[in-house]
Amino acid sequence: DNTEFYLERDRAARRQQEIDRLEARLFTASEQRDWVCAAATIDELITYTQPASFERRNLQGRRGELAGLMDARANLESWSTVCSPTGPLY
């Protein structure tokens, strides 16, 4: 039981680190108007949320807004600047 506790604690810590990293990238992408990177980051973040949760609905709503910006080709010159080879998606 003790070993399982520590394994689960480490998994939870790694998961939270990944969520924190993705949220930081989402903030940077949004600030720089890199809508493609922001949308891809939200798609990743959604996988860490519970189905039917407020957090998931919030992310899905934001993703819909980003889809509209991408369809409108808003700030096209800023796209793919955050999630580039120097700041890759993964």
Side-chain angles (χ1 to χ4, degrees), residues 30-42:
S30 296
E31 285 290 308
Q32 294 183 19
R33 293 185 166 100
D34 184 346
W35 308 133
V36 173
C37 181
T41 303
I42 286 177

Side-chain angles (χ1 to χ4, degrees), residues 48-78:
Y48 288 96
T49 61
Q50 294 294 321
S53 68
F54 174 76
E55 185 178 4
R56 180 172 282 209
R57 288 191 305 271
N58 189 30
L59 286 170
Q60 289 169 331
R62 177 76 172 125
R63 181 61 171 84
E65 292 172 12
L66 291 170
L69 290 168
M70 288 188 297
D71 287 346
R73 300 208 177 269
N75 303 97
L76 189 60
E77 67 280 353
S78 300

